Amino acid sequence: MKFFTLFGSPVAHSISPRMHNLALKGLHVDGCYTRYHLKDGLKLRESFYKLRLDGANITVPYKEDALRQADFLDAFAKKIGAVNTLVNKNGQLHGYNTDALGFYRAIASFKDIDSVLILGAGGTAKAIASILKEKDIKTTILNRSNKRLGFFKDEGFEVYTWEDFNPKRFSLIVNTTSAGLKDDVLPLHKPLLSSLMKKADYAFDVIYNKTTPFMSLAKAHKLTCKDGADMLLCQGVLAFNLFFDNKFNETEITNHMRGAFSL
Ligand code: NDP
């Protein structure tokens, strides 16, 4: 039997176990995917082996711990500085990041994106900015504070704080902040966000399972909108196939996992 888990804190809210268990069952794999509330990120590797896992996903706030504790890193995960998928290969931990490609696949229906504004500068922003750069899409980062902008500056992105931002047109605005997750606040003050949305075509919020104030405002401005559900689904499909050395058909995994969103 194969064993998998989701490490994070908190993990109770996540639908990843449901997604993966539906895929395991649907594809007739003798396996089980659980959730594990990890209190100390330094114990990630130790916990992985204690649980005799074949693979794991890592969520907030341990993606950087996973990066440091893996034996081998996929080049893209190394570049982003965050690992959300660990695979046990002959006793050694291989680290990957599927959030970035998951996001890119989730926006496949957004056509002709020429410029993107990312709100926030955390781990998710790094993943999204890196994949957009790889796809040659001009990307600007706007964060409320300076403290996490170093990575983006070093990577050659245009970066701003609320104080020095010079508004212009962006075709897609992405909220990667946690504003709206547990509260009802916008990730940017309303007059500025409204003026940006007036000129934009698309809005994407990485948060899923609720209509955030960011999404409500984007809908009021009649933007084409998406929340983080498809990103979660796509990163899950990619992670599942990493667990099994790409032996399953992605469409089939997707169809099974999609059931987790309709329960
Ligand atoms: P981090 O903690 O690494 O970064 C959070 C960012 O949000 C920081 O830049 C922070 O600014 C900013 N921020 C937080 N609160 C506010 C606020 N009230 N107003 C403005 N800015 C704010 O988080 P992650 O990047 O790891 O995760 C962010 C979100 O992405 C979470 O909600 C997570 O659930 C979601 N997510 C969704 C995924 C999906 O598949 N749909 C996958 C991965 C994550 P500062 O630097 O100033 O502190």
Side-chain angles (χ1 to χ4, degrees), residues 23-55:
L24 289 168
K25 192 171 167 219
L27 294 163
H28 310 292
V29 178
D30 185 16
C32 171
Y33 188 114
T34 58
R35 63 184 91 223
Y36 190 92
H37 188 170
L38 186 69
K39 298 202 176 105
D40 179 359
L42 296 176
K43 300 226 163 104
L44 180 64
R45 187 182 170 92
E46 181 187 324
S47 308
F48 187 104
Y49 286 116
K50 243 188 220 165
L51 294 166
R52 297 175 186 277
L53 296 172
D54 294 288

Side-chain angles (χ1 to χ4, degrees), residues 180-191:
L181 183 65
K182 290 182 193 142
D183 50 37
D184 267 328
V185 301
L186 284 165
L188 186 62
H189 47 94
K190 195 171 176 181

